Amino acid sequence: MRRILAVSGPDRVEFLQGLVTNRVGAAPAWAALLTPQGKYLADFLVVPEAERLLLDVDARLADDLARRLSMYKLRSKVAVEPTELAVARGTSPMPEGAIADPRHEALGWRLYGAEGDDGSDWDAIRVAHCIPETLVELIPNETFILEAGFERLHGVDFRKGCYVGQEVTARMKHKTELRKGLVTVGIEGSAPVGTPILMPDGREAGVLCTQSGGRAIAHMRFDRMGDGLTAGDARIIP
């Protein structure tokens, strides 16, 4: 379920540019709003349309995103409003007026003002390319976007200037080596999303996320990936 918010007004590009992780303007982009401490709050596609920017966001986060953006308005000449627009998506040939999903070519296209789904196996696509999903791999107030693959999936621009949470994100990029993050692993069996992944000695190595076709996305500590990992009754194969 998606909802489409609209940001309108003469300051709309400058306003969003100073808040979100990616450059906004002429082309569709994937971006996130972060806390000042650099933790994820919401992710969305930013799609230019005439005199407004459309924000394509998970419906469960839409109201909170609109509220937070409105808090930052101050004197900016912008309005943040819900719309009645629907969105269709698919991996079949792109229909007229659709846009390519900016995260990864495997995610196909999106068409605003239409509704539907061509039946693509989205979990299989996401697992194959380690693409995180809102409220599954991307958890508000917990996830750091670099651990979730935002740089690889074109969701953060390190040359665009300041945004909320930029200092922490830049420090993780330039001054530290990531010790954990999302990876695609093999799985024999299944377990609920959120099941801890354990080493043979019982220490936690990660958390199991989306699963499809004998593979899964997991949030792993890289120094604890090895033989003998389990998640509930399932066997995890790095």
Side-chain angles (χ1 to χ4, degrees):
M1 294 288 291
R2 307 292 291 182
R3 282 180 61 191
I4 312 301
L5 305 176
V7 181
S8 58
D11 296 339
R12 63 189 181 280
V13 172
E14 181 181 1
F15 169 70
L16 274 186
Q17 186 85 316
L19 294 177
V20 306
T21 59
N22 212 345
R23 189 177 302 275
V24 299
W30 185 46
L33 181 68
L34 309 180
T35 69
Q37 295 76 33
K39 292 186 177 181
Y40 163 93
L41 287 172
D43 67 294
F44 37 87
L45 301 183
V46 184
V47 182
E49 184 203 67
E51 298 302 313
R52 60 184 184 174
L53 297 170
L54 302 180
L55 305 186
D56 177 350
V57 62
D58 188 290
R60 295 165 290 180
L61 299 184
D63 289 341
D64 185 65
L65 176 61
R67 180 184 64 83
R68 290 178 183 275
L69 292 177
S70 295
M71 287 172 51
Y72 284 110
K73 281 171 54 177
L74 301 177
R75 297 182 180 179
S76 297
K77 297 177 181 178
V78 296
V80 181
E81 300 170 317
T83 76
E84 297 300 321
L85 281 175
V87 58
R89 64 175 181 167
T91 56
S92 54
M94 185 183 297
E96 184 177 356
I99 66 161
D101 193 303
R103 291 171 290 179
H104 195 287
E105 62 182 8
L107 290 173
W109 50 264
R110 303 175 85 86
L111 179 62
Y112 297 93
E115 188 171 7
D117 188 308
D118 71 354
S120 295
D121 188 337
W122 300 106
D123 279 351
I125 291 170
R126 292 197 307 100
V127 169
H129 300 284
C130 201
I131 300 169
E133 177 70 10
T134 307
L135 298 177
V136 181
E137 289 84 21
L138 299 173
I139 308 301
N141 293 298
E142 291 186 16
T143 299
F144 288 103
I145 62 168
L146 296 190
E147 292 181 1
F150 265 66
E151 184 175 12
R152 175 176 55 87
L153 296 168
H154 319 295
V156 58
D157 186 336
F158 289 101
R159 299 170 296 177
K160 68 177 284 289
C162 294
Y163 55 87
V164 178
Q166 181 265 345
E167 183 177 351
V168 174
T169 305
R171 187 163 62 244
M172 290 182 70
K173 163 70 174 174
H174 297 295
K175 295 186 177 180
T176 64
E177 181 177 351
L178 291 181
R179 298 181 179 181
K180 54 186 177 179
L182 295 181
V183 295
T184 296
V185 296
I187 182 170
E188 295 180 354
S190 64
V193 170
T195 300
I197 296 173
L198 302 179
M199 301 174 67
D201 62 8
R203 287 183 296 164
E204 187 168 325
V207 177
L208 185 65
C209 301
T210 304
Q211 302 149 64
S212 178
R215 305 178 77 191
I217 297 175
H219 187 264
M220 296 292 299
R221 282 187 52 161
F222 300 139
D223 63 346
R224 294 187 177 182
M225 295 181 67
D227 295 334
L229 297 176
T230 57
D233 294 331
R235 178 170 172 247
I236 304 300
I237 307 165

